[in-house]
Amino acid sequence: MIRDQHKHDALIHDVRSFVREVAIPNETRVERDDAIPDEIVATMRELGLFGWSIPEEYGGSGLTTEELALANMELSQCSVAYRVRVGANTGVGSESLIQDGTEEQKRHYLPKLASGEMTGALGLTEPDAGSDATNLQSSGERIEGGHYLLNGHKRYITLAPIANLVTLFVRTESGANKADNISAFLVERNSPGLSFSASTPKMGQEGGPIGEIWMKNLRVHESAIVGGKPGMGFRTVMKALNKQRINLAALSTGPAIRLLDEAIAYARTRKQFGSAIGGFQLVQAMLAECKVEIEATRALILATARKRDRGEDVTMDVSLCKYMATEMCGRVADRVVQIFGGQGYVKERGIERMYRDVRAFRIYEGTSQIHLLNIAKQLLRREPGQAT
Ligand SMILES: Cc1cc2nc3c(=O)[nH]c(=O)nc-3n(C[C@H](O)[C@H](O)[C@H](O)COP(=O)(O)OP(=O)(O)OC[C@H]3O[C@@H](n4cnc5c(N)ncnc54)[C@H](O)[C@@H]3O)c2cc1C
């Protein structure tokens, strides 16, 4: 749902200008320094990028799912690092709080996340809990005075090296159902007992660091549990991820659009055998295949976003979006490297960087395999004849 077309067009215009005039010209610098320069973060804060998904009453712009999807498709047409920098605040780093936080927790944290004063992160994954996210080994033991002692180890946490507010998921009780005794705690970076690694070296997405988090006898009051009630953490994170999967699908479509634009420009100018390579039908087929897949994905994402805005159940649709967009982006990146030939493989033009950056999309927030399983599970629950 677009609430006000005029306002929305102005937002998209501002994001497009930021991407073209600030973000793209600084991509090599971001990759080299493995960080977004402070002055660019300041510009992103001024543009309100950190508050897109946060309700207006808490200082954000309260974008609808459709508005957010369109804005994300625009913002992600530059190096992935930029949208990673704001993406925790407009996604996994705030969504648990938006979904299930108490009024006091929302009033305390959401305005700081919306302005970018605080950077959020979500700490779910552990060495023994990846796709099987309910297999958490981190524990929260209830002690005197309404406190918990948290112990455990998280890994691959986006922005852990710089985040100052982490939503940490730990097991607070033992029980038969592994999903029922997980609690989400809001913990600030400087808390005694909480420590962070430096940036974990990885394949791509330089400037969007990930890292490890250790809890060693981290003492936290029960008022820091999201929603104030223990045992609800897994339900909370699933609700947050449900929305985030539409965001991620949109954020995987922007890079494909950018890659196709780059490929078209190159195909027009690069000459072999006396003519532009864009004149060769085998190259044309690669361009056309990219376009078909981008438009089909875009249509699915926007239809799903509108459905969610209407309050309909999108449990299966979000998996369709996440799977389709991330796999599509991988195929587009591969074709575009091919269209650029050697220029796609060497560092000069940044095509190889985009190819490496987008590879992670198929792994995080549910691997492709997990989403296929989810789609099949939902289908098999339906009555015959209800597949579509
Ligand atoms: C760049 C990056 C950023 C991340 N950011 C965050 C973050 O901010 N917060 C956070 O909590 N986590 C984060 N993660 C972790 C991410 O969510 C996990 O990596 C992901 O869920 C997969 O878990 P895993 O790596 O342990 O792989 P595994 O679960 O070990 O999977 C390995 C392989 O087995 C397959 N597999 C597993 N189970 C099944 C099954 N039942 N059927 C079929 N195939 C299966 C998988 O699809 C995969 O191919 C991040 C990861 C990366 C790479």
Side-chain angles (χ1 to χ4, degrees):
M1 177 181 53
I2 310 278
R3 293 163 302 169
D4 177 335
Q5 193 63 49
H6 185 68
K7 238 173 125 180
H8 180 74
D9 292 345
L11 171 83
I12 297 295
H13 175 268
D14 286 351
V15 180
R16 195 165 290 174
S17 304
F18 167 77
V19 166
R20 303 281 183 279
E21 290 157 27
V22 182
I24 292 178
N26 281 286
E27 284 178 336
T28 311
R29 181 179 170 203
V30 166
E31 182 185 10
R32 185 195 61 210
D33 299 348
D34 194 13
I36 311 280
D38 288 347
E39 73 271 16
I40 298 185
V41 174
T43 305
M44 292 160 92
R45 288 182 64 178
E46 275 163 33
L47 284 170
L49 305 189
F50 287 88
W52 277 354
S53 66
I54 295 174
E56 285 171 309
E57 65 213 274
Y58 305 109
S61 35
L63 298 189
T64 64
T65 320
E66 185 180 1
E67 290 166 349
L68 185 58
L70 288 163
N72 277 333
M73 283 186 211
E74 210 59 51
L75 178 63
S76 55
Q77 291 181 37
C78 52
S79 174
V80 175
Y82 292 102
R83 66 84 170 163
V84 170
R85 185 65 186 80
V86 295
N89 287 30
T90 59
V92 293
S94 66
E95 198 58 33
S96 298
L97 201 46
I98 295 171
Q99 290 290 338
D100 282 343
T102 63
E103 191 51 34
E104 202 185 337
Q105 289 168 340
K106 289 182 184 180
R107 297 235 165 265
H108 188 66
Y109 287 119
L110 288 179
K112 291 177 189 155
L113 290 167
S115 69
E117 180 190 335
M118 284 191 118
T119 296
L122 175 126
L124 179 66
T125 303
E126 299 181 356
D128 290 320
S131 297
D132 183 5
T134 60
N135 194 39
L136 295 184
Q137 305 299 309
S138 292
S139 62
E141 184 198 345
R142 199 174 160 83
I143 54 169
E144 80 293 339
H147 283 84
Y148 283 82
L149 263 197
L150 310 193
N151 281 286
H153 174 203
K154 301 285 175 185
R155 69 175 181 183
Y156 309 153
I157 308 306
T158 299
L159 298 182
I162 60 169
N164 31 33
L165 178 67
V166 193
T167 312
L168 287 167
F169 293 81
V170 304
R171 188 170 303 290
T172 40
E173 288 154 61
S174 53
N177 187 345
K178 290 200 292 184
D180 275 347
N181 41 46
I182 291 170
S183 303
F185 287 84
L186 293 159
V187 187
E188 294 191 28
R189 187 176 192 90
N190 52 9
S191 307
L194 188 65
S195 56
F196 298 82
S197 72
S199 173
T200 304
K202 57 188 186 326
M203 181 191 284
Q205 300 195 3
E206 290 90 355
I210 63 172
E212 296 176 69
I213 302 178
W214 291 273
M215 296 162 266
K216 288 206 177 116
N217 294 329
L218 168 67
R219 198 179 147 92
V220 188
H221 192 256
E222 62 189 357
S223 58
I225 296 177
V226 174
K229 217 172 133 201
M232 306 302 287
F234 195 69
R235 251 161 279 179
T236 297
V237 77
M238 284 302 123
K239 273 197 255 175
L241 287 177
N242 213 18
K243 178 170 181 207
Q244 176 59 17
R245 281 160 184 164
I246 305 177
N247 297 346
L248 186 60
L251 291 164
S252 303
T253 305
I257 296 170
R258 162 83 182 282
L259 280 157
L260 178 57
D261 280 339
E262 298 271 355
I264 294 166
Y266 190 71
R268 282 205 179 112
T269 52
R270 170 68 178 164
K271 288 204 165 99
Q272 284 295 281
F273 301 98
S275 58
I277 60 167
F280 302 136
Q281 288 177 337
L282 293 177
V283 173
Q284 290 174 359
M286 288 193 277
L287 293 171
E289 280 167 346
C290 290
K291 178 68 175 163
V292 170
E293 292 203 70
I294 289 169
E295 292 307 330
T297 306
R298 204 176 123 83
L300 175 68
I301 294 169
L302 294 179
T304 303
R306 289 182 201 119
K307 200 169 165 183
R308 185 177 185 276
D309 284 336
R310 290 195 299 270
E312 294 174 33
D313 178 25
V314 288
T315 314
M316 182 168 79
D317 310 64
V318 297
S319 279
L320 297 175
C321 289
K322 202 280 180 180
Y323 175 77
M324 183 161 166
T326 57
E327 292 284 332
M328 173 280 289
C329 190
R331 286 190 295 272
V332 167
D334 190 63
R335 283 188 207 113
V336 171
V337 170
Q338 197 66 17
I339 291 168
F340 273 82
Q343 285 288 295
Y345 195 75
V346 299
K347 282 203 169 281
E348 201 175 323
R349 290 174 185 266
I351 300 298
E352 63 80 38
R353 185 191 60 239
M354 288 190 259
Y355 178 82
R356 288 184 288 109
D357 280 359
V358 306
R359 185 62 186 84
F361 298 166
R362 291 146 66 190
I363 297 172
Y364 50 47
E365 292 176 29
T367 64
S368 292
Q369 289 69 37
I370 294 300
H371 285 288
L372 286 175
L373 291 175
N374 189 34
I375 294 162
K377 189 168 84 183
Q378 303 290 329
L379 284 176
L380 292 166
R381 274 187 192 152
R382 296 183 174 190
E383 295 298 323
Q386 299 293 311
T388 57

